[in-house]
Amino acid sequence: VIVLGTNSFAPGKDIIALRADTPALAIRLQQGSSLTLSARGSANAVYCPAGSLTAEGPGSLTASSEEYPALWVQKDIALEGGLKAGLSSDSQAVYSASGGIAVDSASLTACSRDAAIFAEGASTGGACPGTSVVLRNSEVSLDTRQGYDAVWAAQGGILVEDTVLTTKANKSADMEGYSLYSYGDITIRGNKTDIKTDDGTGISADGRILIEGGRVNTSSTDVALLGWDGVQVTGGTVKAHSAQNSAILARDGAFCATGAQTSVTATSDAEPAENKAVIRNFRDGGIHLGADVTAVSTKGGRPFEGVMKDKSTGITFGEGVSVLGASVETEDGKSYLVSADGRPLTGTAAACLHSWGAPAWNWAADHSSAAAVFTCAKDASHTVEVKATVDSAKRGNDTVYTASAMFGG
């Protein structure tokens, strides 16, 4: 279907606006063209029961439906090539029965009373074969506040790359209001990626959550970031907030943050309780802090809680990283931070990949002793004082004092 100019189709109730019983349907919109497809009752705006759908080109596609998905496709769906798509439905906005869904170099706005993007299959082909949902180099805005999930994907997982994604999902923690949910992994990467979510049950993967770059700002009623097989952050800036639970939770795998350019801030408003630390894992893998990670419990709960199946230490630090004034205590298989007086650390804890500059020197009045004070360039409140060794030597009528201190190896 080649689209020129302005076009609109609104058939009667229960009649499909556009049906293609073919192995593939391509809708190619020319520059400045538009196609509006409106379905009422038990009908789809676009129905492809046997094949795939590609909608592409620098035009506008608007599709709406009531009881059935706006786009219902048996195999793969691709929205690409500069397309501007606006979809709405009382069911799903975009539905693939056995394939994947890709939004590539396009703009998509979708509103639904079920899931906005729903992929039951695992094949988008192209550069990401076998991935259920790919959002790449696009602008995507999804509203399911009156429905359920913004994006739902099968075992193939979800990839968000160089994409601006905004989601508003159902805020009830009991209504499966996920912004991103997959049976597989969820991968987020690309310097242009900017994700903002507001939902009930966050970003959740039955596999792993892998954040490699970009900006992720997610606010949820329940857990904001949940990876059953772990949560790994190796780049980018992550802000995760939960109103009622842990902000970040890894169940059967580890929470791991690494990288000099990585920053994670997690905040929880949950009342202090067992198994509600701001950042925690549940069964095995523990917590590894190899980057700047700040955990804030606004109600005074534990910032971190790590678990190893063999009951070894469940919180570890990368080289150059520490929570100043705190150490790790392990009790009954759970590791947590304690302050210098041995009490459990509560409220806020900041693990910092310190950047130490040249020290300031503090000398005794008689030069018999000295200390080197190192200050972190990232946070001036992070200071370490190291006692120095002082040597003296006569040089004529003068005495020369030399102080040396060892810090950081």
Side-chain angles (χ1 to χ4, degrees), residues 186 188 208-212 229-235 250 254-258:
I186 295 175
I188 297 168
R208 300 169 297 166
I209 293 178
L210 307 170
I211 301 175
E212 301 171 2
D229 291 336
V231 177
Q232 297 180 21
V233 185
T234 56
F255 169 78
C256 180
T258 58

Side-chain angles (χ1 to χ4, degrees), residues 36-57:
T36 299
L37 303 170
S38 303
R40 297 183 295 119
S42 301
N44 309 106
V46 177
Y47 182 51
C48 301
S52 62
L53 167 67
T54 299
E56 61 183 1

Side-chain angles (χ1 to χ4, degrees), residues 342-370:
R343 296 181 181 181
L345 188 62
T346 59
T348 300
C352 181
L353 178 55
H354 300 290
S355 177
W356 303 110
W361 291 92
N362 294 333
W363 286 89
D366 62 358
H367 300 100
S368 62
S369 63

Side-chain angles (χ1 to χ4, degrees), residues 180-360:
L180 300 173
Y181 174 79
S182 175
Y183 287 163
D185 293 343
I186 295 175
T187 302
I188 297 168
R189 66 188 183 209
N191 292 333
K192 297 179 182 178
T193 291
D194 191 355
I195 298 176
K196 295 182 177 67
T197 73
D198 186 23
D199 53 50
T201 44
I203 297 174
S204 181
D206 286 4
R208 300 169 297 166
I209 293 178
L210 307 170
I211 301 175
E212 301 171 2
R215 293 166 298 283
V216 179
N217 190 337
T218 178
S219 181
S220 181
T221 305
D222 207 324
V223 178
L225 292 175
L226 169 58
W228 280 75
D229 291 336
V231 177
Q232 297 180 21
V233 185
T234 56
T237 301
V238 177
K239 295 182 179 179
H241 169 263
S242 173
Q244 298 179 2
N245 211 323
S246 300
I248 301 176
L249 171 60
R251 289 188 63 90
D252 296 334
F255 169 78
C256 180
T258 58
Q261 304 304 315
T262 299
S263 174
V264 178
T265 302
T267 304
S268 173
D269 299 331
E271 294 292 337
E274 186 177 5
N275 295 330
K276 283 197 176 180
V278 180
I279 298 177
R280 66 186 179 96
N281 79 300
F282 189 69
R283 289 194 177 94
D284 196 18
I287 292 173
H288 180 71
L289 303 174
D292 294 341
V293 181
T294 299
V296 180
S297 172
T298 60
K299 299 294 178 64
R302 288 182 178 177
F304 299 101
E305 187 174 276
V307 176
M308 295 294 290
K309 190 175 182 179
D310 62 6
K311 296 190 177 182
S312 60
T313 301
I315 299 176
T316 58
F317 296 92
E319 183 177 355
V321 178
S322 68
V323 177
L324 289 182
S327 59
V328 177
E329 183 76 20
T330 301
E331 182 180 359
D332 194 27
K334 293 182 179 179
S335 295
Y336 53 93
L337 298 180
V338 295
S339 56
D341 61 6
R343 296 181 181 181
L345 188 62
T346 59
T348 300
C352 181
L353 178 55
H354 300 290
S355 177
W356 303 110

Side-chain angles (χ1 to χ4, degrees), residues 19-111:
R19 174 171 179 152
D21 292 309
T22 60
L25 169 64
I27 302 174
R28 297 190 171 94
L29 293 101
Q30 305 302 300
Q31 181 71 45
S33 67
S34 66
L35 174 62
T36 299
L37 303 170
S38 303
R40 297 183 295 119
S42 301
N44 309 106
V46 177
Y47 182 51
C48 301
S52 62
L53 167 67
T54 299
E56 61 183 1
S60 298
L61 172 65
T62 302
S64 61
S65 65
E66 294 178 349
E67 298 173 21
Y68 287 5
L71 308 183
W72 196 106
V73 179
Q74 180 64 42
K75 297 182 180 178
D76 289 348
I77 299 172
L79 308 177
E80 58 190 22
L83 179 73
K84 293 183 179 179
L87 310 175
S88 62
S89 177
D90 289 344
S91 180
Q92 293 101 4
V94 188
Y95 175 85
S96 171
S98 61
I101 298 171
V103 182
D104 194 340
S105 302
S107 171
L108 169 63
T109 300
C111 178

